[in-house]
Amino acid sequence: MLETDKVFSGSIPENYDRHMVPLIFEPYAADIARRAASLTPSAVLEIAAGTGVVTRTLTPKLSPAASYVVTDLNQPMLDYAASRQPPDSRLAWRQADAMALPFENAAFDLVLCQFGAMFFPDRISAYREAKRVLKPGGHFLFNVWDSIEENIFADDVTKALARFFPNDPPRFLARTPHGYHDVSQISSDLENAGFSDVEIETRAEQSRAPSPRLPAVAYCQGTLLRNEIEAREAGTLQAATDYAAAALAERHGSGEVAAKIQAHVILATA
Ligand SMILES: C[S@@+](CC[C@H](N)C(=O)[O-])C[C@H]1O[C@@H](n2cnc3c(N)ncnc32)[C@H](O)[C@@H]1O
């Protein structure tokens, strides 16, 4: 992971929420919120909450007496999340690094994290922090993307950009969001952090869009791939996006498009 692989700011929050969230995050937000609600938690901490797709999905499912603290490393992502959420006295927003959580020991009965762990430079430290703030017997529920080959549009865009920039292919998607998918590694990291009883389920969903242009714009302009493309040559963002859109159209057609996405969903007990 590069240092720049964690800087979600500038135009990223808005483009991320508008393009990426409906494309690949919503189906997993519905899944993780359903799993979280079935644990009937009373004190929830969400880490790496981004623009709040899980927060929006889970809040209506929590009991009226529950508390829900929503955090992210990048304040601009959290500001965007808060701007989309109706006022709710159960919710509190706080900037926080997953590896140094500003909370007391045993403060929560559920720690929740959707597609954040791949961005933590030291995952065992982050998992130890999750364990520390959980009550004994509490749950850590999170998901991570499977390999890029199992996530078709991400793979297609990465391959198209490798042809567009043959001397220096931008590899953000393979390196970071799709760079932590080995289930035995995930289990052993959790065990090293003190969790017992780790359950992992691999879940496929469909990514759908009204045209092949939308996934091209989403990946090239709504993720940190944007910074990597812009760092290569001034003015190439639009041309690179067009090239990726043409490659997607060639493979998936020019009308509505759909392709497989796949992730691992992990439940660990403190
Ligand atoms: C792919 S986004 C996922 C956001 C959200 N959970 C969702 O499902 O849309 C990854 C998030 O991880 C956050 N992040 C990166 N490094 C982090 C860290 N060390 N601690 C907490 N959050 C971090 C980023 O700011 C970003 O919002």
Side-chain angles (χ1 to χ4, degrees), residues 82-146:
S83 77
R84 288 209 52 189
Q85 187 76 40
D88 190 315
S89 59
R90 296 171 298 172
L91 286 173
W93 307 89
R94 182 142 181 203
Q95 187 275 337
D97 185 335
M99 293 172 300
L101 294 173
F103 305 106
E104 291 184 356
N105 295 355
F108 301 96
D109 47 24
L110 174 65
V111 173
L112 188 62
C113 180
Q114 162 146 296
F115 299 123
M118 307 83 91
F119 292 87
F120 305 156
D122 180 348
R123 291 181 196 105
I124 297 177
S125 293
Y127 297 166
R128 274 200 196 107
E129 278 294 85
K131 168 105 174 24
R132 181 183 66 75
V133 301
L134 275 169
K135 296 176 181 146
H139 292 104
F140 180 29
L141 174 63
F142 68 105
N143 52 20
V144 297
W145 292 117
D146 202 346

Side-chain angles (χ1 to χ4, degrees), residues 57-79:
T57 316
L58 177 57
T59 303
K61 298 181 191 296
L62 292 177
S63 84
S67 67
Y68 188 175
V69 182
V70 184
T71 67
D72 194 275
L73 178 68
N74 287 293
Q75 187 70 45
M77 294 294 267
L78 216 46
D79 289 344

Side-chain angles (χ1 to χ4, degrees), residues 93-248:
W93 307 89
R94 182 142 181 203
Q95 187 275 337
D97 185 335
M99 293 172 300
L101 294 173
F103 305 106
E104 291 184 356
N105 295 355
F108 301 96
D109 47 24
L110 174 65
V111 173
L112 188 62
C113 180
Q114 162 146 296
F115 299 123
M118 307 83 91
F119 292 87
F120 305 156
D122 180 348
R123 291 181 196 105
I124 297 177
S125 293
Y127 297 166
R128 274 200 196 107
E129 278 294 85
K131 168 105 174 24
R132 181 183 66 75
V133 301
L134 275 169
K135 296 176 181 146
H139 292 104
F140 180 29
L141 174 63
F142 68 105
N143 52 20
V144 297
W145 292 117
D146 202 346
S147 65
I148 196 161
E149 293 77 18
E150 303 291 350
N151 287 270
I152 307 304
F153 291 146
D155 199 32
D156 290 345
V157 168
T158 300
K159 286 178 175 152
L161 293 179
R163 295 192 295 278
F164 191 79
F165 296 105
N167 299 326
D168 187 15
R171 296 281 301 160
F172 165 72
L173 294 174
R175 179 178 64 242
T176 299
H178 296 285
Y180 183 58
H181 51 79
D182 177 343
V183 289
S184 52
Q185 179 72 56
I186 296 167
S187 290
S188 95
D189 288 350
L190 285 162
E191 279 152 23
N192 281 332
F195 282 98
S196 58
D197 213 7
V198 175
E199 293 167 29
I200 303 185
E201 186 184 315
T202 300
R203 186 177 179 89
E205 296 276 359
Q206 285 283 300
S207 177
R208 295 175 198 284
S211 78
R213 181 151 192 87
L214 199 136
V217 172
Y219 282 106
C220 295
Q221 302 187 15
T223 73
L224 303 191
L225 185 53
R226 178 187 192 116
N227 302 342
E228 242 189 340
I229 295 171
E230 286 179 327
R232 272 161 179 69
E233 213 181 306
T236 50
L237 180 64
Q238 204 49 52
T241 308
D242 292 344
Y243 189 86
L248 290 173

Side-chain angles (χ1 to χ4, degrees), residues 28-38 54 57-58 61 112 141:
Y28 289 99
D31 174 66
I32 209 167
R34 179 183 53 75
R35 292 172 196 256
S38 74
V54 172
T57 316
L58 177 57
K61 298 181 191 296
L112 188 62
L141 174 63

